[in-house]
Amino acid sequence: KATLKNLEDRYIIVQKSRELQLKALDLENEKKEQQLLFGGIIVLFLGGFFLIYQNYKRKKINQKLLQLNQDLDQANKVKTRFFNILNHDLRAPVSNLIHFLHLQKEHPELMDEATKTRMESKTITGVEDLLHSMEDILLWSKGQMEQFKPEDSQVILAELFADTRKVFSGYANILFEYDIPEQLTLLTDENCLKTIVRNLTSNSINAFVQAEQARITWSARQDEQGICLRIVDNGPGATVEQFRALFDASAPVGTRSGLGLHLIRDLAQLIQCTIEVQSNPEKGTTISLRWQ
């Protein structure tokens, strides 16, 4: 009986050991399945994240391509507009110069002294306008560059207008007046401001056709609102539509043909300058430049 009892106990122990081994194997299999399932979930998550990231990158690239296409289209429009204005502005003075040179060379007997003097004066004026137009074109095209930024410095306005006085000193039939405080300075880009002042002065000069007692006055003041530069002329004035190019980029021309008003508008925006215009027919024009 004792032997049988021992055999039964040993059998039970062996069976229990086998059951424990089977349970251990089941647990190990379950653990492996859980690991595989967890690994599959991670793979799916990473795959989904990769797909979402690729989709995001694709959208971003498409947006950049769309922006580049829009910039290219805008650049083509600017280039077309630029060449149209270039053709319009440069043909007239060059044609006048060529006409005068041909006339002087081939038919000098047709020109008396008065005609010759008048033609020379007209040609010189045309060439000077051509030079100003070329400067305007270069600066305007520079202003169209994406990376162009104005370089601010303390500009002594009296010195800037001394240069303006020198540039326009040849107009004996126009009285120029300058009311500029000696110590007044303005933090801005000197080249941009100088170009704006020259173009506004040229516009006022071109407004005088056969005016008597022509007068152009530049003044500068500083008050609580900031600094204001103002040009006043007693010319024939102009309509609001003629000054539209100062505020609207789609306007083709201003009070004078060409880039003058377009350039003034673009440069004024670069140096954060506000333009105000008051013009009355037969009473003259006042244009103010304001900085806050």
Side-chain angles (χ1 to χ4, degrees), residues 3 23 57 63 69 75 81 83 93-94 128 131 181 224 240 244 251 258 269 278-279 281 291:
T3 301
K23 288 184 179 180
K57 283 188 68 176
Q63 289 177 354
N69 288 332
R81 177 179 165 212
F83 282 115
V94 172
E128 289 176 348
L131 178 61
E224 296 178 354
V240 175
R244 189 162 64 93
Q269 290 176 355
Q278 294 179 347
S279 185
W291 286 265

Side-chain angles (χ1 to χ4, degrees), residues 109-239:
E109 70 281 356
L110 297 179
M111 293 191 299
D112 54 19
E113 287 299 323
T115 303
K116 185 177 179 181
T117 302
R118 180 174 55 83
M119 291 290 292
E120 286 178 349
S121 176
K122 184 177 180 181
T123 302
I124 291 173
T125 302
V127 173
E128 289 176 348
D129 290 340
L130 174 62
L131 178 61
H132 288 306
S133 296
M134 290 176 66
E135 292 176 352
D136 291 350
I137 290 168
L138 290 174
L139 282 172
W140 184 78
S141 59
K142 183 182 179 183
Q144 298 299 320
M145 292 189 232
E146 184 178 355
Q147 301 300 325
F148 173 67
K149 293 182 180 179
E151 298 179 0
D152 292 344
S153 62
Q154 287 293 343
V155 179
I156 301 176
L157 295 178
E159 295 180 0
L160 185 140
F161 280 97
D163 176 77
T164 304
R165 186 196 304 266
K166 181 179 179 181
V167 171
F168 297 100
S169 60
Y171 293 91
N173 59 329
I174 300 177
L175 174 63
F176 290 90
E177 297 177 343
Y178 298 92
D179 183 13
I180 312 296
E182 289 290 334
Q183 302 302 322
L184 185 59
T185 62
L186 176 62
L187 180 63
T188 187
D189 185 288
E190 183 175 2
N191 291 324
C192 292
L193 179 57
K194 187 180 295 184
T195 303
I196 292 173
V197 169
R198 287 185 181 181
N199 275 274
L200 288 176
T201 307
S202 295
N203 287 345
S204 294
I205 292 172
N206 292 332
F208 296 111
V209 182
Q210 294 179 346
E212 297 181 357
Q213 298 180 348
R215 184 177 68 255
I216 296 175
T217 303
W218 271 105
S219 62
R221 291 290 181 272
Q222 184 173 14
D223 53 26
E224 296 178 354
Q225 298 179 351
I227 293 179
C228 176
L229 298 180
R230 181 174 289 121
I231 179 172
V232 181
D233 66 58
N234 61 344
T239 63

Side-chain angles (χ1 to χ4, degrees), residues 49-76:
F49 176 78
F50 180 75
L51 290 176
I52 293 173
Y53 178 72
Q54 287 293 328
N55 187 44
Y56 170 76
K57 283 188 68 176
R58 190 180 298 110
K59 286 184 178 179
K60 205 165 185 181
I61 291 173
N62 289 337
Q63 289 177 354
K64 286 183 178 179
L65 289 174
L66 180 62
Q67 184 64 40
L68 288 174
N69 288 332
Q70 291 176 351
D71 292 343
L72 181 60
D73 183 61
Q74 182 64 27
N76 287 332

